[in-house]
Amino acid sequence: MNATPPLAWDEDLECWVVADPRLARQVLHHPGFTSGTFERSFQLYMGEAVREEYRDLTAFLRLWFVQTDAPEHTALRRPVQRLLSASYVRSLAPRVEEITDACLDALAASPPYDVVPAVADGISGRVMAHVVGVAEPPETLHRWARTLSLFIGAMYRRDHAAEAHRTMVEMTEALSRADAPRSFPQGTPEDRARTTATWAMNLFGGLETTSSLLASTVMDALAEPAVWDAVREQRPGAAEEFVERVLQRRPPLRHLGRVVAYDQELAGESMRAGDLVLVSLTGEGLLEETGGGGACPVTGDQHLVFGFGPHYCVGAPLARLEAAVLLRRFAARFPDARIAAETPEWGPNLSYVGLDHLYIELGV
């Protein structure tokens, strides 16, 4: 079997794919590769008429600070990073436990027992609703997130653009009533637009990928008796250690995008300004199989699952907390649980990898 090259041009997607973890670190931390992938994708994959029809949507996405670079990115990220500080995340633990217990109650009350909607979507949705201060239920929040992820992954489809535009309108209205945005700049229309986009991005970022991590954590723990025993026995650190293994084995996000800032050579390949680059977070190329374990994307002691460098995910501590709390509470509540006979169903999105359904037997 041929090894995946560290850098290769994908003819179908018309972009470079960086598969090597060391090269990925270099790209993610290098000023020669910029973060404005949405803008470049609008140009490449959306027709002019569609861009004009949905210009409010494209303007909304351009304002997400993950689409900016230093110094703008640093300035826009700082207040969010302060808000999601380690001390704040630790303070959320009792609320996350309360939400988790309520979602496990909902799971037990709703056979057949599907972990994804009741638990993974429920916890991630209710936690983000609490953090942002919106009143919408998890199913609404996840509908928004999935609609946006479909559009981001296939901007050439007019139907995805239409649904994403409707989602943008709904999110904007909900965020106008939310608590967290009120402490961010609101003085001018530009300030309000940036603040709304920032919190829409934070809401989006804490939903699909976190739900994927939660469901994968339950599935993999039930498949490994030694791990399940360690968690049931409440061995110190067992849940946290296993969550890291799941992150490495099944990263919820497979790739990050970058744009080549100027003509240059990398790994023996000539890259042109404006080329799109997909940076693998898995140590692999583009895979169609969403359920595979794959190579561990580790160089030294740090994996790439939450990114690298200035764009490292601000929500990483919260996602880890939710997964570890779920694993401990689930094992305590359903110590004899097991995966049901139905095969787990994986979603179709190439970049955002997660389970659509995970049926279990509670053993009670």
Side-chain angles (χ1 to χ4, degrees):
M1 183 176 179
N2 295 328
T4 303
L7 175 67
W9 178 259
D10 188 286
E11 292 288 350
D12 293 330
L13 293 178
E14 298 184 28
C15 69
W16 295 98
V17 177
V18 178
D20 178 73
R22 290 179 176 83
L23 198 60
R25 290 169 181 273
Q26 181 178 338
V27 170
L28 293 175
H29 203 49
H30 195 287
F33 299 88
T34 67
S35 303
T37 55
F38 287 171
E39 180 63 39
R40 188 63 178 134
S41 296
F42 299 153
Q43 297 168 2
L44 291 175
Y45 304 129
M46 294 181 73
E48 185 175 348
V50 178
R51 288 202 306 272
E52 176 62 25
E53 183 177 359
Y54 296 108
R55 59 183 176 179
D56 289 346
L57 172 64
T58 58
F60 170 76
L61 292 173
R62 285 188 189 98
L63 291 176
W64 287 18
F65 70 70
V66 294
Q67 294 294 301
T68 64
D69 295 296
E72 183 183 13
H73 174 80
T74 305
L76 294 171
R77 174 190 174 96
R78 187 176 294 118
V80 177
Q81 194 163 358
R82 282 199 300 265
L83 187 66
L84 294 176
S85 66
S87 60
Y88 172 71
V89 170
R90 286 194 297 271
S91 76
L92 285 177
R95 179 61 176 147
V96 172
E97 291 174 351
E98 179 184 317
I99 288 171
T100 299
D101 289 343
C103 290
L104 294 178
D105 287 344
L107 176 70
S110 305
Y113 307 111
D114 187 350
V115 168
V116 176
V119 176
D121 286 359
I123 294 171
S124 55
R126 292 180 63 177
V127 168
M128 287 310 299
H130 174 77
V131 169
V132 180
V134 294
E136 281 67 22
E139 53 267 29
T140 297
L141 301 181
H142 279 282
R143 174 174 59 81
W144 291 347
R146 285 166 186 154
T147 298
L148 289 176
S149 69
L150 285 173
F151 171 69
I152 291 167
M155 291 183 178
Y156 55 86
R157 289 186 51 167
R158 182 184 286 268
D159 58 337
H160 286 349
E163 289 296 327
H165 185 272
R166 282 191 285 272
T167 289
M168 176 204 68
V169 172
E170 292 178 21
M171 290 182 82
T172 298
E173 183 174 341
L175 288 166
S176 71
R177 304 186 297 269
D179 296 330
R182 293 174 186 167
S183 63
F184 279 60
Q186 302 280 353
T188 68
E190 292 76 15
D191 287 339
R192 291 190 290 275
R194 173 70 76 178
T195 291
T196 297
T198 293
W199 281 101
M201 182 199 71
N202 291 335
L203 193 59
F204 172 81
L207 291 167
E208 289 305 279
T209 52
T210 302
S211 177
S212 172
L213 171 61
L214 298 179
S216 292
T217 297
V218 171
M219 180 179 70
D220 286 5
L222 289 175
E224 297 189 32
V227 170
W228 192 244
D229 288 344
V231 176
R232 285 193 304 180
E233 294 165 9
Q234 301 184 37
R235 296 179 196 170
E240 288 78 7
E241 179 182 345
F242 187 68
V243 168
E244 290 305 307
R245 287 171 54 191
V246 175
L247 281 165
Q248 294 174 11
R249 181 188 299 162
R250 305 186 192 279
L253 182 65
R254 286 186 175 272
H255 302 90
L256 289 177
R258 291 294 183 267
V259 179
V260 179
Y262 47 77
D263 293 356
Q264 58 183 289
E265 285 199 3
L266 182 68
E269 300 284 356
S270 296
M271 309 178 81
R272 303 297 300 272
D275 285 351
L276 278 176
V277 183
L278 284 182
V279 181
S280 173
L281 303 180
T282 68
E284 302 169 329
L286 294 177
L287 297 181
E288 294 183 0
E289 294 182 7
T290 58
C296 179
V298 176
T299 303
D301 296 324
Q302 185 185 21
H303 58 62
L304 294 174
V305 173
F306 291 112
F308 181 73
H311 284 260
Y312 187 84
C313 177
V314 294
L318 182 57
R320 286 180 163 118
L321 172 67
E322 291 176 55
V325 167
L326 170 60
L327 188 51
R328 285 194 295 267
R329 309 296 270 203
F330 193 100
R333 176 73 180 272
F334 306 117
D336 298 317
R338 61 186 182 277
I339 297 174
E342 293 90 342
T343 302
E345 296 179 22
W346 293 88
N349 197 305
L350 181 64
S351 292
Y352 297 92
V353 179
L355 287 156
D356 280 351
H357 298 284
L358 173 63
Y359 293 101
I360 62 170
E361 301 294 339
L362 299 182
V364 293

